[in-house]
Amino acid sequence: MASYLDDMSHNDSTAAEGRGELRDQPQRTGTTGTEGAAPALTALSAPAPSGEAHRWLALAIVMAAAFMDLVDVTIVNIAIPSIQRTAHASVSQIQWVTAGYALAFAAGLITGGRLGDIHGRKRIFLLGIGGFTLASALCGLAANPEMLVASRILQGGMAAMMVPQVLSIVHATFPAHERGKVFGLFGAIVGLGAVSGPLLGALLTEWNLFGLEWRPIFLINLPVGVLAWILGRRFITESKAPKALKLDLVGVALVSLGLLMLLYPLTRGRELGWPLWGYVCMAGALVVFVALVSYEKRKAARDGSPLVELSLFRVKSFAAGIAVQTVFGVALGIFFLVWTLYMQVGLGWSPLRAGLTGVPFSLAVSTAAGMSVQKLVPRFGRKVLQAGALVMGAGVLLYLWEAHRYGLAIASWQMALPLVVMGAGMGLIVAPLTDAVLSEVPREHAGSASGLINTVQQMGNALGLGLVSVVFFGEIGDRLAPSQAGPAFVHAFQHALWWVAGIMGAIFLLMSALPQRPAQHMEGAADEELPVVEREPELVP
């Protein structure tokens, strides 16, 4: 949700692509984060010729897709314990239900955007939403945990095709003077999705419709996806980038292979007794990443369309910002999964109670994000982001203290204060962070930088989910009596919170390399603004 909060907290000149999408702009190619030398895309900025009603119908369709994607992320987390119990999933399989989606999404974001530039945003959007709907059906009908994990990976890949097109279509359909109203509506939808996702997941899980347990959380996407696909074919106007760059499939393959070699041993190592091949595989991941850097250098020299623009890392603030985004993703990946397991398995709470407990956090993030961008950052600059890291860290420590003091007797209302503090700290960070990271990036590379920010945050999230087996399950015995499960999960949760608090301290230090006062890329560019984007982290279990 951070990406959408980021977009909505800016004025209409932000026109960013939520969760990895980059909008049309001069010298950039749409959603991809690639370099180009195209002139201002006035043709793509013009309203669709199909008329007023068709434009607003197209908006409703892409909003429905964005809402479906956002809810899907939050709705799954709340159902994880039910999936583990009824599908007899192992610890590593549960981690891959969430990490597999994040990994596939991250690996496909830039390629998905480029495909839209080359073949048309409408065409790739319809392919993405159709595939996402099919993958949702496969998730809901999964016969075993292996099929569920594979379907979630497919779902993440299809989301990477669909999501980068959403706000690009909006930008191509509405003129600049109407975008303020459009993004205001988008902000309302995002806020609704952030709060309703976990509650909807909790209700669907608790109702156990037709005896399907957790399966309706995926099957609910079917009618929405089918309707959006049918209406999208008729009412969305096609658009392409006038000069789209080539795909870097080798780069995508190397990134995916390197992450898989790193994450698979992390998630499976504990269950298998940390075999030698796991350490060899993780060491081999470093070799793959070195090969990626070498290949991207050659790719940039050959045709100027690398997956990763390596020259960006010579900008101190960008390199530090990428580190912040990655580490922040790790913290979120750890916290939200263990928080869900702590409440539902450790404390024995129902999914509905767990979902309602997370509402104060979501509200605090939304409120603080708006204040951060509109009032605080223009006045105090980087100090706001650093304060956010400290506040969020303080909230984690407060939560740690309460979890230790009250143990299994802790109540939802006692969690409210630390969750509000954590949410406020996160809100101070998520909305202005991308502006700060992009502030000193050369204008011609801003799109590449934005695409990379989104990708590394998702990769960090997947890494955090992989680390859960070390920082959380590593503290839980293999064979627990029912009476031992609660105390063991409470202890493991506290151990994981120490990790999260330490990560927030590292983020505070990394932020010292960000500019004191982030420059505004968009100033003086009524219809040619640069993208400010960020992938949304999961805000609630």
Side-chain angles (χ1 to χ4, degrees), residues 380-398:
F380 300 107
R382 183 183 68 199
K383 293 178 181 178
V384 176
L385 284 85
Q386 293 180 300
L390 293 178
V391 170
M392 189 170 177
V396 172
L397 293 176
L398 181 58

Side-chain angles (χ1 to χ4, degrees), residues 33 205 287 376 391:
T205 303
V287 176
L376 299 179
V391 170

Side-chain angles (χ1 to χ4, degrees), residues 394-473:
V396 172
L397 293 176
L398 181 58
Y399 207 156
L400 178 62
W401 177 78
E402 290 203 352
H404 176 74
R405 178 181 180 184
Y406 297 109
L408 294 173
I410 193 170
S412 296
W413 67 267
Q414 290 168 324
M415 294 185 185
L417 178 59
L419 288 174
V420 167
V421 175
M422 287 179 62
M426 185 172 172
L428 293 176
I429 297 171
V430 293
L433 179 57
T434 307
D435 267 347
V437 177
L438 291 176
S439 183
E440 296 178 351
V441 169
R443 177 176 286 270
E444 65 271 17
H445 293 319
S448 274
S450 293
L452 192 55
I453 287 170
N454 298 294
T455 299
V456 299
Q457 187 175 353
Q458 278 308 291
M459 291 177 178
N461 187 257
L463 179 58
L465 290 163
L467 285 170
V468 167
S469 62
V470 177
V471 305
F472 182 74
F473 289 113

